[in-house]
Amino acid sequence: MQDNHFNIANIALAESGRKRIYWAKKNMPIMNSIIDRFEKEQPLKGLKIAICLHVEAKTGVWLEALTKGGAQIAITGSPGSTQDETAAALVVDYGIGVFSHRNESFDDHLSYCKNVLDITPDIIADNGADLHELIFTDPNYNHLKTSLLGATEETTTGANRLREDFNANSFSTLVINDTQAKRIIENRFGVGSSVVDGIMRATNVMLHGKKVVVIGYGYCGSGTAQRLRGMGAHVTVVETNPLAKLEAHMEGFYTATLEDALPDADLVITITGRDNILRREHFELMSDHTIVANAGHFQREINIDELAKLSQSITEIREHVTAYTVNGNEIFLLSHANLVNLSAGDGNPIEIMDLGLALQTLSIERIAKNATTLDNEPQPVPYDIEMEVARLAVKYWINH
């Protein structure tokens, strides 16, 4: 359903989305405390915020904080991760401009990114640097380089792109993933749990005894490897960074090259934040019945085009499972290589995202109030914000 102010799947799903948001809010005491304060203080009054972040129930609670703080919001999500019910509720209940639906293509996604930037925002909150990319590369949005107060970036992938691909020094971008709070609590514990949950929901197979290859041993990869080991899987880590590889070894994981690890794998998970990790030569090494999932930010960690060209047949087996027949062997790709924890599951646990979204909220407040005190470059979230969120987590999780 589309008009000039939103583009979603079905506005009639709002009641179901309302219930999803209600359940999330019941389990987000940190964000509830911020909502109460923002409603009184109105720190974002009159500001327009363009957002690229997964449109799901926990995000809905965050958007309540921003709107009650006085902001006008336009948001888009990511392919495969949008909860259409939540999108409808955000349009109906909060008047938010939502441009996203669950079955959108990547081309749709890029178009929706333009839609949210068309509000001429004062602040952007990004996820993978897609909004930043348009601002730095598309002449239609170059003017925002000088008009924005600042930005946030949620992910490792986005931080890498800002620091490596763009001359991102026109305004300040607070990188949420540079905080230890997000790296340890959300990436290690949250992503680790939700990736396992997404894989099990997609496949309904047992993980105990499975030979699993985890490609990438950052905070997300290490958390995923640890949760899989806890489920009884035999985990091999593939990592090119020598320090991260040494860490995996010291924590008791097998380590190997990709070429040595793939032929014996039952399950392969990419979680690097980089492109083209699995390519034609890797698919040819896989044995019959290998399951492949992506938990990195972009679908393109797995080169699906090369897999399709290599395949003699492609069959949809069940929701979230597609069989590609390569030289007589079936490779089962989950969720079309979209983020498996969000496309096949509900993403990170609610309480985990209570902390992560509090970091986002207080970072946006800092930009709104004190943008001139921040350097015009990608940078960590100010330490006092991280400690305040950690203090609130201790208050509500431990000392309640």
Side-chain angles (χ1 to χ4, degrees):
M1 180 173 291
Q2 179 177 1
D3 73 5
N4 292 331
H5 305 294
F6 62 87
N7 189 341
I8 61 175
N10 186 353
I11 204 163
L13 298 173
E15 177 59 24
S16 177
R18 194 172 295 125
K19 291 175 180 177
R20 280 181 175 268
I21 295 171
Y22 172 84
W23 176 248
K25 190 175 180 183
K26 281 290 185 181
N27 293 282
M28 297 179 75
I30 302 173
M31 283 305 305
N32 281 320
S33 71
I34 295 173
I35 288 171
D36 290 342
R37 178 171 70 82
F38 270 34
E39 193 166 17
K40 295 173 185 174
E41 297 179 4
Q42 295 283 290
L44 308 177
K45 187 174 182 179
L47 296 178
K48 291 183 284 185
I49 304 176
I51 299 172
C52 177
L53 196 68
H54 306 291
V55 179
E56 47 102 9
K58 301 178 284 287
T59 304
V61 179
W62 175 51
L63 298 183
E64 180 182 348
L66 300 183
T67 55
K68 286 188 173 177
Q72 176 188 336
I73 306 294
I75 185 171
T76 188
S78 294
S81 70
T82 295
Q83 294 173 353
D84 290 328
E85 305 93 330
T86 298
L90 292 174
V91 171
V92 172
D93 293 350
Y94 298 103
I96 291 172
V98 181
F99 299 87
S100 194
H101 57 87
R102 192 165 188 84
N103 294 321
E104 68 190 59
S105 66
F106 192 73
D107 286 341
D108 292 332
H109 168 66
L110 294 179
S111 175
Y112 298 153
C113 286
K114 294 178 180 180
N115 288 140
V116 302
L117 289 179
D118 285 340
I119 69 168
T120 313
D122 302 291
I123 297 170
I124 63 170
D126 213 348
N127 185 47
D130 289 337
L131 298 182
H132 281 82
E133 180 177 12
L134 285 171
I135 291 168
F136 290 124
T137 64
D138 188 326
N140 293 313
Y141 302 100
N142 284 167
H143 65 282
L144 294 174
K145 288 194 292 185
T146 55
S147 65
L148 282 173
L149 293 174
T152 63
E153 167 53 50
E154 177 74 9
T155 65
T156 306
T157 301
N160 289 340
R161 297 182 75 201
L162 290 176
R163 289 170 172 139
E164 297 170 11
D165 298 342
F166 310 122
N167 186 22
N169 60 3
S170 300
F171 51 85
S172 61
T173 298
L174 299 183
V175 180
I176 309 301
N177 201 66
D178 281 355
T179 65
Q180 285 298 99
K182 184 178 188 297
R183 288 175 174 177
I184 295 171
I185 305 301
E186 184 177 331
N187 293 0
R188 181 169 290 168
F189 294 106
V191 173
S193 299
S194 64
V195 168
V196 171
D197 173 57
I199 290 169
M200 294 189 72
R201 288 204 215 183
T203 63
N204 196 33
V205 302
M206 180 177 72
L207 294 176
H208 306 278
K210 288 285 192 299
K211 291 170 283 187
V212 182
V213 174
V214 175
I215 307 172
Y217 202 74
Y219 285 92
C220 293
S222 64
T224 299
Q226 289 164 12
R227 302 290 85 74
L228 287 163
R229 179 165 61 182
M231 294 292 293
H234 303 291
V235 180
T236 297
V237 170
V238 174
E239 175 58 72
T240 58
N241 181 296
L243 186 58
K245 185 172 185 175
L246 183 61
E247 180 185 3
H249 170 76
M250 298 298 286
E251 289 181 343
F253 291 103
Y254 301 110
T255 59
T257 65
L258 196 52
E259 290 73 19
D260 288 340
L262 288 177
D264 202 35
D266 299 309
L267 169 63
V268 179
I269 303 167
T270 57
I271 189 163
T272 69
R274 303 290 184 176
D275 294 351
N276 288 312
I277 299 303
L278 289 179
R279 305 179 297 278
R280 177 188 180 99
E281 62 267 29
H282 302 125
F283 303 128
E284 291 176 327
L285 292 172
M286 294 179 185
S287 59
D288 189 32
H289 204 265
T290 301
I291 298 169
V292 178
N294 174 45
H297 181 74
F298 284 121
Q299 182 188 44
R300 55 182 181 257
E301 291 212 19
I302 300 171
N303 194 318
I304 304 173
D305 289 341
E306 289 190 356
L307 177 59
K309 290 175 184 177
L310 196 61
S311 299
Q312 289 78 56
S313 65
I314 302 172
T315 308
E316 298 292 330
I317 300 298
R318 52 182 276 159
E319 186 180 15
H320 302 301
V321 180
T322 305
Y324 291 79
T325 303
V326 177
N327 300 326
N329 294 330
E330 284 189 309
I331 296 172
F332 297 107
L333 181 65
L334 304 188
S335 299
H336 304 290
N338 291 314
L339 280 162
V340 71
N341 56 338
L342 278 153
S343 54
D346 286 326
N348 293 337
I350 295 171
E351 295 89 343
I352 296 286
M353 292 309 300
D354 192 20
L355 179 146
L357 292 169
L359 288 168
Q360 277 276 8
T361 310
L362 298 188
S363 294
I364 287 172
E365 181 184 28
R366 179 63 55 85
I367 293 166
K369 290 182 173 181
N370 301 105
T372 56
T373 66
L374 302 170
D375 295 330
N376 287 343
E377 62 184 5
Q379 61 202 273
V381 171
Y383 183 74
D384 65 298
I385 291 177
E386 183 175 8
M387 288 301 102
E388 172 62 10
V389 172
R391 184 191 67 78
L392 290 169
V394 168
K395 175 181 176 180
Y396 292 114
W397 296 1
I398 301 174
N399 297 335
H400 67 284

